[in-house]
Amino acid sequence: MDKMSGMFAAADEKVFQDKVDRDIRIEPKDWMPEAYRKTLIRQISQHAHSEIVGMLPEANWITRAPSLKRKATLIAKVQDEAGHGLYLYSAAETLGIGRDEMIGQLHSGKAKYSSIFNYPAISWADMGAIGWLVDGAAILNQIPLCRASYGPYARAMVRICKEESFHQRQGFEILLVLSRGSEAQRRMCQDAIDRWWWPSVMMFGPNDDASPNSAQSMLWKIKRFSNDELRQRFVDVCAEQVKLLGMRLPDEQLSWNAERQQYDFGPINWEEFWNVINGNGPCNKERLTARVQAHADGAWVREAALAHARKNAARQKKEGEGKAA
Amino acid sequence: MNENKTMNPITNPITNPITEGDVQSWPLWEVFIRSRQGLDHKHVGSLHAADAPMAIENARDVYTRRMEGISIWVVESRFIHASNPDEAGSFYDPANDKVYRHPTFYDLPDELKHM
């Protein structure tokens, strides 16, 4: 870079950071640092992939839901998740990446998605635990993103957060009904909480001292709270909510710390976390295979729709010419 | 108007992946929704669709699942032209020094009513 363009870039960067500092949103055509664009593309597309892959553990239970009401609810929830994926893909596209490229990155394994979806949903109670814990953790992560510095991302998050609230409430209600049911139902409820608790706690990502990119993201206001701050909030909220279920969280070290006015909790198994992220979770292969298969199975539909649209357009053009003549 | 001033506001003009004649993918559409009678259509986001009827149906499914709208407009993104934010300073300059266009500019006695 020569001296002149270096000076321009520095000036641009200053204008950009000044806007961010004053909470003025950055919009698609505004100048932004390349690293900001890249970070956003990575974060937003990962988020979109998580919504799309997140449909898979639940889809399994649509045909097995215990009542028509539960079935309708679950379909609506899964449909919301498809919608959330689409809002987010659209937001990422404003940064200059194509939909096909993002899908390709997911399918090749280059792009990640939330590792929580690599755990199996083996009982109906899992639909409750996923709604309460997984969606609950997601909401805590997502609410600050409604104020993210990038306009299209923040706007997508506002819509998502509005819709996500029903997901969490229906999940808690599933567990509440089970917790007031038979002994077997109560066991099923506790078992689901036991299996989903720690993976949900891990959803907030590595500890702050092991999260090297956080500082930059905070400076850019893509991130507003640290992983550990959000995780602590989640534990504090759930430790109280679980009492309403008459269940327990699977953590012997969970206890109220009067001095900190927060709950203390046990150590997180980071080895498991990295293992699942790196592809060795219980369902990584199954999830990705299902995604790739669905995309491949839909190829003829996409092609046919495009062919149909082109044929129609050509016909209309011809009719128009006929009238003009 | 020069080419640079009519860039698509939604996709980055340098790396815009959607081009006319692209054989692979459905084009990108911008979606505008009237939330209720009497209000303007407002931009809500974008989506991909093979043609206009599909774009409208997809917009219904993606953006109005909770009765958020009673009317939908869609337009292919490549047909949208936009002002350039880099030139915002000079572009909006003509209105900058015309405070007399605002009613508060005029100093009138407090006793004056109904104005």
Side-chain angles (χ1 to χ4, degrees):
Chain A
M1 200 187 308
D2 64 50
K3 204 176 165 193
M4 270 309 260
S5 60
M7 269 162 59
F8 283 133
D12 283 341
E13 180 122 23
K14 197 179 168 299
V15 170
F16 165 83
Q17 188 62 48
D18 187 51
K19 273 196 226 164
V20 171
D21 292 344
R22 287 188 294 142
D23 279 323
I24 295 173
R25 296 280 183 277
I26 305 301
E27 295 295 340
K29 284 183 37 167
D30 295 342
W31 187 92
M32 62 185 84
E34 229 10 70
Y36 176 82
R37 184 187 300 277
K38 272 196 189 134
T39 301
L40 276 173
I41 288 178
R42 196 185 63 233
Q43 181 171 331
I44 300 173
S45 65
Q46 272 183 19
H47 192 163
H49 299 326
S50 301
E51 296 283 356
I52 298 301
V53 177
M55 294 192 278
L56 297 172
E58 290 169 326
N60 189 39
W61 285 97
I62 289 177
T63 52
R64 296 166 175 81
S67 70
L68 200 56
K69 178 189 123 187
R70 294 292 187 206
K71 186 176 187 149
T73 301
L74 197 52
I75 291 172
K77 182 175 191 276
V78 169
Q79 201 184 6
D80 272 355
E81 278 149 8
H84 296 176
L86 292 174
Y87 302 156
L88 290 161
Y89 281 131
S90 295
E93 277 172 280
T94 65
L95 291 157
I97 187 169
R99 180 78 56 96
D100 294 339
E101 191 180 348
M102 285 187 275
I103 305 275
Q105 287 174 348
L106 171 67
H107 291 176
S108 72
K110 188 184 168 220
K112 304 282 184 216
Y113 53 87
S114 181
S115 58
I116 193 84
F117 301 117
N118 290 318
Y119 291 87
I122 56 178
S123 83
W124 170 251
D126 288 18
M127 293 303 98
I130 287 174
W132 174 40
L133 297 174
V134 177
D135 291 307
I139 289 171
L140 280 179
N141 262 325
Q142 288 167 354
I143 286 174
L145 292 173
C146 296
R147 295 187 294 131
S149 57
Y150 187 58
Y153 189 28
R155 292 192 285 274
M157 291 316 305
V158 169
R159 267 198 303 274
I160 290 174
C161 284
K162 265 189 208 159
E163 299 182 353
E164 202 79 49
S165 164
F166 122 69
H167 298 184
Q168 192 188 18
R169 291 173 69 96
Q170 66 86 35
F172 195 83
E173 194 202 55
I174 289 173
L175 295 183
L176 197 61
V177 169
L178 290 173
S179 76
R180 291 169 179 172
S182 66
E183 189 47 40
Q185 284 172 319
R186 289 181 53 77
R187 268 203 309 275
M188 193 162 90
C189 181
Q190 183 63 59
D191 168 65
I193 296 170
D194 288 348
R195 281 180 293 106
W196 288 96
W197 173 247
W198 285 109
S200 300
V201 171
M202 292 178 202
M203 278 177 70
F204 296 90
N207 285 128
D208 293 347
D209 52 15
S211 183
N213 300 324
S214 285
Q216 181 62 73
S217 286
M218 291 241 200
L219 198 65
W220 280 334
K221 295 195 182 167
I222 296 173
K223 207 180 165 93
R224 298 255 179 182
F225 300 98
S226 80
N227 295 353
D228 287 331
E229 278 176 285
L230 291 169
R231 183 169 12 246
Q232 180 69 55
R233 208 174 292 172
F234 178 69
V235 172
D236 291 344
V237 165
C238 293
E240 291 300 319
Q241 290 175 342
V242 75
K243 293 177 186 169
L244 285 171
L245 297 173
M247 299 282 142
R248 49 176 291 282
L249 298 177
D251 180 356
E252 295 301 328
Q253 295 180 43
L254 186 77
S255 65
W256 178 249
N257 184 326
E259 197 181 315
R260 286 203 305 133
Q261 289 290 302
Q262 285 172 329
Y263 276 89
D264 290 334
F265 55 97
I268 294 165
N269 184 349
W270 291 115
E271 199 185 322
E272 175 184 324
F273 174 76
W274 290 113
N275 237 331
V276 180
I277 282 195
N278 291 325
N280 305 315
C283 300
N284 294 56
K285 213 170 155 235
E286 187 186 329
R287 299 290 184 241
L288 214 50
T289 307
R291 269 320 311 157
V292 173
Q293 180 76 37
H295 194 69
D297 288 351
W300 72 270
V301 181
R302 293 192 297 277
E303 284 163 23
L306 206 53
H308 176 72
R310 282 178 183 156
K311 200 168 136 191
N312 263 345
R315 187 181 298 149
Q316 275 172 14
K317 199 175 164 209
K318 206 172 158 190
E319 279 170 10
E321 281 164 2
K323 270 180 202 150
Chain B
M1 197 181 257
N2 120 7
E3 267 301 301
N4 291 332
K5 286 183 184 164
T6 59
M7 293 181 302
N8 183 332
I10 307 302
T11 47
N12 183 308
I14 306 157
T15 46
N16 182 359
I18 311 301
T19 51
E20 200 173 1
D22 187 334
V23 289
Q24 301 289 328
S25 41
W26 293 349
L28 189 66
W29 301 73
E30 299 306 320
V31 181
F32 301 81
I33 290 185
R34 187 200 294 285
S35 57
R36 60 188 168 81
Q37 210 69 20
L39 295 182
D40 293 327
H41 285 78
K42 194 173 158 232
H43 184 244
V44 293
S46 55
L47 49 75
H48 289 270
D51 55 19
M54 187 198 269
I56 290 175
E57 279 178 15
N58 286 0
R60 175 200 60 192
D61 293 343
V62 177
Y63 292 105
T64 66
R65 285 195 303 284
R66 287 175 176 79
M67 313 280 291
E68 290 95 336
I70 51 149
S71 167
I72 297 173
W73 286 353
V74 294
V75 60
E76 239 187 282
S77 307
R78 65 193 169 97
F79 292 127
I80 293 188
H81 299 255
S83 61
N84 185 348
D86 295 338
E87 291 165 7
S90 57
F91 191 71
Y92 298 105
D93 180 67
N96 240 349
D97 55 354
K98 295 180 179 61
V99 280
Y100 46 83
R101 283 177 171 164
H102 297 277
T104 47
F105 176 75
Y106 300 91
D107 205 7
L108 298 173
D110 291 344
E111 301 85 68
L112 183 69
K113 300 295 177 199
H114 308 297
M115 188 178 284

